[in-house]
Amino acid sequence: MEASVKLLSFCTRHHFPTSLFFKLNHKPLYLPPSSFQTPSLKKIVTPRIFLSHRNPSHPLGFSRTPFTSQFLNPFLSTNRFARIVSGTQERFFNWHYAGGSEKGNEIGVTPKEGPIVTVVMLGWLGSKQKHLRRYIELYNSRGIHAVTFVASVKDVLSFDLGKKLEERIAVLANELALWLSETDEDGRERCLIFHTFSNTGWLAYGAILENLKSRQDLLEKIKGCVVDSGGDPNISPKVWAAGFTAAMLKKRSSFAYPSVEAGEGNEVGSPLTLGNVQVNGAMLMETLLFAALEKLFSFLLNLPDVNERLTKILSILVNNQPSCPQLYIYSTADKVIPFQSVESFIEEQRKIGREVHSFNFGSSPHVDHYRTYPDNYVSVLQKFLQECMLIPNEVHKVKGQPHQ
């Protein structure tokens, strides 16, 4: 209760930041083809910014070499970019190589034929790197490298008006562009697949697409997109409030559990199994926090600049996604993202000619389908990867395990 009152009081006094997550007040990333020619790499910026660059001895073709300013998004100053990349306190995306080490290729995990694939995992609001571990293992076991990106509530609603998160998305887009633009030593194609979680990850995907929109050659290397518990194109204060409430209260929130009607609302530790006093207290705190956040987002999401920015990102997701297969994983019992909105969006995508696959897990909670139904989840995902021709049909099967 105290947290919700403070939040509402703060918003009233200080006019809560209007940029939030997706007010990206910068120009789209422009990476001209000439920027990737070897001569341009001779220029070293000051201060020296060390990032990945081609090294045939590295399984991903990377080495620590100076990074040219021609790769940088214009939004980022050289000094700011250097601090973000080099600061150990601000590590925001991580590479995870197939095989569990930088020598994944050498132990026979990565297929010798076909494209070299990296999955870009964009986590749900409040997720941490450890929460994506089981998903990383799932992809790595199939010879697919992974890049993970997460955003905390603090990242989104921070005193710097979300600038750090905006910059991080731009830097991630640059990293992906650089990796895709390099040619592997054996000549195999490099390509990406995206796996987004909740609407937070899905909107981050839209922001990355906007950053890369001037590079059609790179967009064509995106071979598939998995939308897990996301895909609601409506700018709804209720959805935003529900997502933030779930992220702030975590397992104490009823949004983290399926509905009673689904027959699975009695999990040990859920609000429904606590004592009456605890139940009443937890539900009251959640109700007040949700009401405060709904009022907050009813104001913020209707501000012209915020609404315009979100509309632009959603327009990309509705009309200008890459022409690759899409997989929507959702459930009827999801209390954060309405399943009707997801199904409506799926139908709209099919009407404009997109190849869309979907699976309704029924009773599993928001972003909890893998833990609730591990075998079915693995089966659905593996079939999709095979249809995208990203893994061979005879790839070894690994039994799914729940994330923590």
Side-chain angles (χ1 to χ4, degrees):
M1 180 188 301
E2 182 180 355
S4 61
V5 172
K6 286 184 177 180
L7 175 63
L8 186 57
S9 175
F10 168 77
C11 299
T12 304
R13 295 196 313 270
H14 297 280
H15 303 292
F16 210 77
T18 60
S19 62
L20 286 178
F21 190 175
F22 295 102
K23 184 171 177 268
L24 306 179
N25 296 320
H26 61 86
K27 299 177 182 179
L29 179 70
Y30 177 68
L31 298 173
S34 59
S35 297
F36 296 98
Q37 296 175 359
T38 303
S40 67
L41 297 179
K42 296 180 180 179
K43 181 179 180 180
I44 301 177
V45 298
T46 302
R48 291 163 64 92
I49 302 175
F50 290 90
L51 274 186
S52 302
H53 180 51
R54 176 148 180 78
N55 179 1
S57 65
H58 192 289
L60 291 180
F62 283 171
S63 66
R64 306 291 287 181
T65 56
F67 193 58
T68 173
S69 61
Q70 294 186 33
F71 287 96
L72 301 182
N73 189 300
F75 174 65
L76 303 177
S77 67
T78 298
N79 291 336
R80 176 65 173 160
F81 188 89
R83 188 176 71 80
I84 293 173
V85 172
S86 61
T88 57
Q89 298 297 320
E90 297 190 53
R91 189 175 183 84
F92 53 90
F93 66 81
N94 292 283
W95 282 90
H96 310 269
Y97 310 132
S101 71
E102 293 188 2
K103 296 186 178 181
N105 286 352
E106 298 178 8
I107 62 176
V109 175
T110 303
K112 299 297 183 181
E113 299 179 356
I116 299 176
V117 186
T118 290
V119 59
V120 184
M121 293 187 193
L122 305 174
W124 60 91
L125 181 67
S127 63
K128 298 181 179 180
Q129 293 286 343
K130 66 179 182 179
H131 296 142
L132 300 178
R133 180 172 58 84
R134 296 298 184 185
Y135 298 94
I136 295 168
E137 293 173 354
L138 178 59
Y139 279 99
N140 282 175
S141 68
R142 283 149 180 79
I144 297 176
H145 306 300
V147 177
T148 53
F149 177 92
V150 295
S152 67
V153 174
K154 182 179 178 181
D155 289 330
V156 180
L157 301 180
S158 60
F159 288 103
D160 69 350
L161 307 182
K163 294 297 183 182
K164 288 183 181 179
L165 190 57
E166 297 167 13
E167 293 168 355
R168 290 172 179 181
I169 293 175
V171 173
L172 176 58
N174 279 329
E175 175 81 355
L176 298 176
L178 175 62
W179 185 79
L180 285 174
S181 298
E182 293 291 338
T183 301
D184 196 73
E185 187 177 29
D186 60 9
R188 285 191 294 165
E189 176 189 12
R190 291 184 176 186
C191 62
L192 297 176
I193 180 173
F194 282 81
H195 192 134
T196 74
F197 295 91
S198 191
N199 256 24
T200 300
W202 191 55
L203 290 171
Y205 172 56
I208 291 174
L209 293 180
E210 185 190 24
N211 274 275
L212 298 176
K213 68 181 181 181
S214 64
R215 291 301 306 274
Q216 186 61 36
D217 58 322
L218 300 184
L219 292 175
E220 291 175 357
K221 294 185 179 183
I222 299 176
K223 302 300 182 181
C225 181
V226 179
V227 182
D228 186 324
S229 304
D232 181 2
N234 303 307
I235 304 177
S236 168
K238 286 186 177 294
V239 171
W240 281 67
F244 275 79
T245 300
M248 295 171 75
L249 298 182
K250 302 184 185 301
K251 291 185 177 181
R252 292 173 294 168
S253 171
S254 66
F255 291 105
Y257 297 89
S259 60
V260 176
E261 290 78 5
E264 297 189 13
N266 57 352
E267 183 175 339
V268 175
S270 75
L272 299 179
T273 61
L274 301 175
N276 288 337
V277 175
Q278 290 176 296
V279 169
N280 292 336
M283 295 305 295
L284 178 59
M285 180 174 66
E286 179 177 85
T287 300
L288 290 174
L289 180 59
F290 176 80
L293 288 169
E294 184 179 5
K295 180 175 293 187
L296 169 66
F297 287 117
S298 294
F299 169 72
L300 290 176
L301 297 177
N302 284 295
L303 291 173
D305 52 350
V306 174
N307 189 273
E308 179 181 357
R309 184 59 194 164
L310 281 172
T311 300
K312 187 175 183 180
I313 293 295
L314 289 169
S315 177
I316 292 173
L317 292 167
V318 171
N319 302 308
N320 297 312
Q321 287 196 53
S323 57
C324 62
Q326 305 170 25
L327 170 63
Y328 292 82
I329 297 173
Y330 66 104
S331 71
T332 306
D334 192 326
K335 294 182 180 180
V336 177
I337 302 294
F339 74 93
Q340 299 94 333
S341 297
V342 178
E343 291 180 343
S344 176
F345 184 78
I346 289 172
E347 290 305 313
E348 291 300 319
Q349 288 294 288
R350 286 173 175 162
K351 287 179 181 179
I352 63 175
R354 301 298 189 189
E355 180 183 346
V356 180
H357 308 263
S358 63
F359 194 90
N360 184 344
F361 280 91
S363 61
S364 49
H366 185 65
V367 293
D368 208 49
H369 315 306
Y370 190 9
R371 181 169 61 180
T372 307
Y373 300 108
D375 291 333
N376 286 344
Y377 192 96
V378 171
S379 178
V380 170
L381 182 59
Q382 179 161 305
K383 182 179 179 181
F384 178 71
L385 294 175
Q386 290 170 347
E387 292 178 350
C388 294
M389 302 186 70
L390 297 177
I391 61 173
N393 290 332
E394 57 273 5
V395 68
H396 61 283
K397 184 176 181 180
V398 176
K399 184 176 181 180
Q401 298 177 350
H403 63 71
Q404 298 179 347

